[in-house]
Amino acid sequence: MKHPGLTAKQVEESRQQHGANTLTQIPPDPLWKKILEGFKDPMIMILLVALVVQVVLFFLGQSEWFEPVGILVAILIANGVASISENKQEGKASALKEEEEAKEMAKVLRDGKLQEIHVSEVVVGDIVYLQAGDKIPADGIVIEGAIKVDQAALNGETEEADKITLPADTDYDIKDLLNKYYAYRGTVVCGGEAYMEIKVVGDKTLFGELALEVQEDTRETPLQVKLGKLAKQISTFGYVGAIAIVIGVMSKTLLTGNMPNGVFEWIRLIMDAITVAVTIIVCAVPEGLPMLTSILLSFQSLKMAKDNVLVRKINGLETAGSLSILFSDKTGTITEGRLSVVEMATGNVRVFDSLAKMTPALAADVVTGIGVNNSAVASNGQIIGGNSTDRALMAFLVDAKADNGMSKEDVRNFNAFDSAKKYSSVTLVHDGKSVTYIKGAPEKIIEKCSHYIDENGNVKELVEKNYLTTYIDAQAGRSMRLLAVAKADGDNDSANLTLICVISIRDNVRKEAADAIKEVQNAGIQVVMVTGDRKETAVAIAKEAGLLSAPEDVALTSAEMAEKSDEELKAILPHLRVVSRALPTDKSRLVRIAQELNMVVGMTGDGVNDSPALKKADVGFAMGSGTEVAKEAGDITILDDNFSSIEKAILYGRTMFKSIRKFLIFQLTVNVAAVLTCFLGPLMGENVILTVIQLLLINLAMDTLAAIAFGSEPALKEYMKDKPVPRSESIISKEMMTEILVGALYITGICLAILFVPAIRNLFGDVDITYLKSAVFAVFMMAITFNGFNARTSHVNVFEHLGRNKTFIGVMLSIFALQFVFVTFGGEVLSVESLDVRSWLICVVMAFMVIPIDMVRKLIMRKNLH
C-alpha cells in the first residue's frame, strides 16, 4: 500500500477541524422529568384540582383525612406506573446500545502501520482497511481495491452494492446509494478487500444525519387527544352538576318556606350545599382512568414481550390499536429477508421444490452443480463467505441435508463468477474422467445447451426451447432470480453443454405474513408496502402477499410519486398499495400526507433510512435485527422481524382501547348515577341521600378496583373485525352514552324509589330513614357492581369470556364483600345501620335487575342496527 496514512499530529488537526466520529445523542428524559411531564395530562390536572378542594375541605373540618390522601394515592400511582415502566424500557434499550457500540472497531493506516482503533477515534483523512465482515466506520471513497457492500442498514435491500476505486476526474452522486465509489457508515463489507479514505465523520455522515433527524418531538397520540376532550367534558359535567345541586338545595329551601333563622344557619346551609356540590365534582372525575391506562400499558407490555414485541415507548401501544394506515417495509418483514431456492425445473419444464423428489442421479448433478461450484462454504450448519446467491444455494443444500454429498477432493479447477461470461465453473476429475459444471445466467448458458437431463435422469436432446423460455419469463414475472446449471464432458466450459436445471431464487414472502396482512386489512387498516426494490419485483411480491388484489389498487415508483403534488398524492393515497424504489424522503412524505388527512399512521423499518419516518409516524415499528438508530426512533421493536407480530401489537392496542371504553362505561355510570341521585334527592325532600364519605368510598373503591378488573380483559380476535376509531372521534360513542344513561337512570330511579315510592319503601317494613338510606347505599354499590358485567361486553351474554378474566371475578366479589362490611359495620362513621337477611335479598334483586334491563337495551340496539 503506497499510502502511509495520517501522522499523530495530522489526526489531532483533523479532529479539531472536522470533529470526532461520534453521533450526537439527546439523552432520554430522567425519571423525575417524566413524572413532572405526566402532571400535564388533562385527567391528572382535574385530579389535582379535586385534591386541592379536598385539602381545603379537610382544614375547614368538612372532610376526613383519608379523602385527600386517597386522591393523592390515585395521582401518584397513575403517573408513577407509566413513567417508571417507560424509564425501565429505555434503560434496557440504552444498555443494549452501549454494549453494541463498545464492540465497534476499525483498521486504519497511521504512520505507515496498520492499527485497530475504536470507531469513534476515526477522523477525516484516515485510510481505513476493509475486509469481508467489517462495518464501515464513516463515509468516504474507495482509493484501492474493490468490495461488495451490504447496504441494507441504509436502503433495506438484500442486493449487494459494488464499490470500486475512484478513477481520476470521475463524478458521482453521494445521494445515490448505488454509486460505485462512495461507501457509507453503518454498511457492511461482504466480499473483497479495499482501502477507503474517510471524507466525513460523525453527524455529517448519511448515517449521522438520519440519526439526528429522528430525535425530534412527535405529535399527541390518538388516546391523548380523546382523553383531553373527555377531561373537558367531564369537568364541564361536574361543574354544571355542582352548580345545579347548590341551586336545587337553595331553591327547595326557599320554595318550602324552611328558611334558616340566623346568619350561622344560612352559612351552614350554604356550606352543606357546597360540600355536596364539591363532592359531586370529585365523583364526576374517574380517578381510576389514568391509573387504568398505566396498569393496562404495563400489563400489556409484559404480555407482548412473550410475543416477541418490545414496547419501548409506552404510548406506542395504545396508538397501534388506533392505526388506520400502515407503511411496511418489504425485506425481512413481509419477506424472509434472505434469498431462498423456490423451485428447480428440468429442460422439459418438470418442476421440483425439493431434492428428495428428484431421481438420485439428477439430484447428485444438482448438488455438485450448485454445491461444489460455489464460493460459500457450509460448516456445522453455518454458511460462510460467498455472495447472497451462493449462500442461498448452500443453505438449500444444508436444509436438505445434502451438503455431506459434496466432495471437493476431485476438484481440479475452479473459476469464480466472471462478470463478462456471467457464470462460474468447476472441473472435477473422477476415475480419470473430467466433467465441468457451469452455473450462471440462463440466457448465456441455455444457448450453449444441446441436451438436457430429464426428470428420470436420462440425457435427451434439447430441441424445443420455447417451453423453457416461457417458463423462465413467467418466473422472472414473479420476481425470481434465475440461474441455469449445466455440465460438459472435459475441462472446456464453452463446449456443448447438457442442461441440468434452471433454479428460481427469491426473497420469499413469509408464509405467516400473507395471513397477517389479510387480518390487518380486515381490521380496516390500509397496508402499503414501501421498498427500495424495482417495481416489477415489488408488484410480484405485493400480489403474492395479498396487497395488490383489486383493479383500483395503485403501485407507484419513487419517481412517479415525486411528480405528483401533495394534493394529487392525497387523492391517490386511499388506493395506494406499493411504493417501489423508495427514498428515505418518500417515507417521511407519505407519513406527513397521511397525517394531514387525519389518519393514524404506522411505519415499519429496520434501516437508518427508515428512522426519520419511524419517528414522525404515530407509531414506529422497528425490526429487532435492524440498526440501533431505527430502534431508537421506533416506539415498538418487533424482535422477530415478523409482520404477524405487528398484527399482535395492533390487537393488544385495540384490547387496551376497548378496556378503557369498558371502564368508562362502568365508571361514568357510577358518576352520572351519583350526580342525579344527589341532585334529585334534595328536590324531593331529602337533603342528603348519600353522604360525602359514602360517595368517596364508592368512588375510591370503584375507581381503583375497577381499574385492576378491566385492566385484565383478554385480547379477543373479534376486535380485529372492527374498523379503526378515527383520531378525531370522541372516546365516548353514542352506544356507550346510551348504556351509561340507561344504567344510571335505573340505579338513580331504584335508589330514590326506596325512599320516596311507598310500594317500594314498604318492602323493607316499618323502619327509620337511616335504615332506608342504608338500603339505598347497599343497592347503589351492588347495582354499579352488577353493571360491571354489562360494561365488559357489547354482547347480550354478559358472562361471555368471563373465565378468561379471573381478576375481574375476584375484584367484583371483593366489591360485594366490601359493600357488605361497609353497611354491616359502618355505623355512625358511614351513617348506616345493619340490614337483616330479608332486606339484603330485596337489595340484591333490585341491584341485579340492572343486568336484564341492559340486555333488553342491547337487543333493541341490535334490532335497530339491522
Side-chain angles (χ1 to χ4, degrees), residues 629-647:
V629 176
K631 291 177 196 173
E632 193 75 23
D635 304 291
I636 294 172
T637 302
I638 306 298
L639 299 175
D640 61 356
D641 292 11
N642 201 328
F643 194 94
S644 64
S645 294
I646 297 172
E647 181 208 340

Side-chain angles (χ1 to χ4, degrees), residues 53-65 67-68 268 271-272 275 692-693:
V53 170
Q54 283 298 329
V55 169
V56 171
L57 286 176
F58 170 70
F59 284 113
L60 290 174
Q62 297 298 314
S63 73
E64 299 294 331
W65 64 269
E67 292 164 11
R268 171 54 58 190
M271 280 300 296
D272 283 348
T275 302
V692 173
I693 294 177

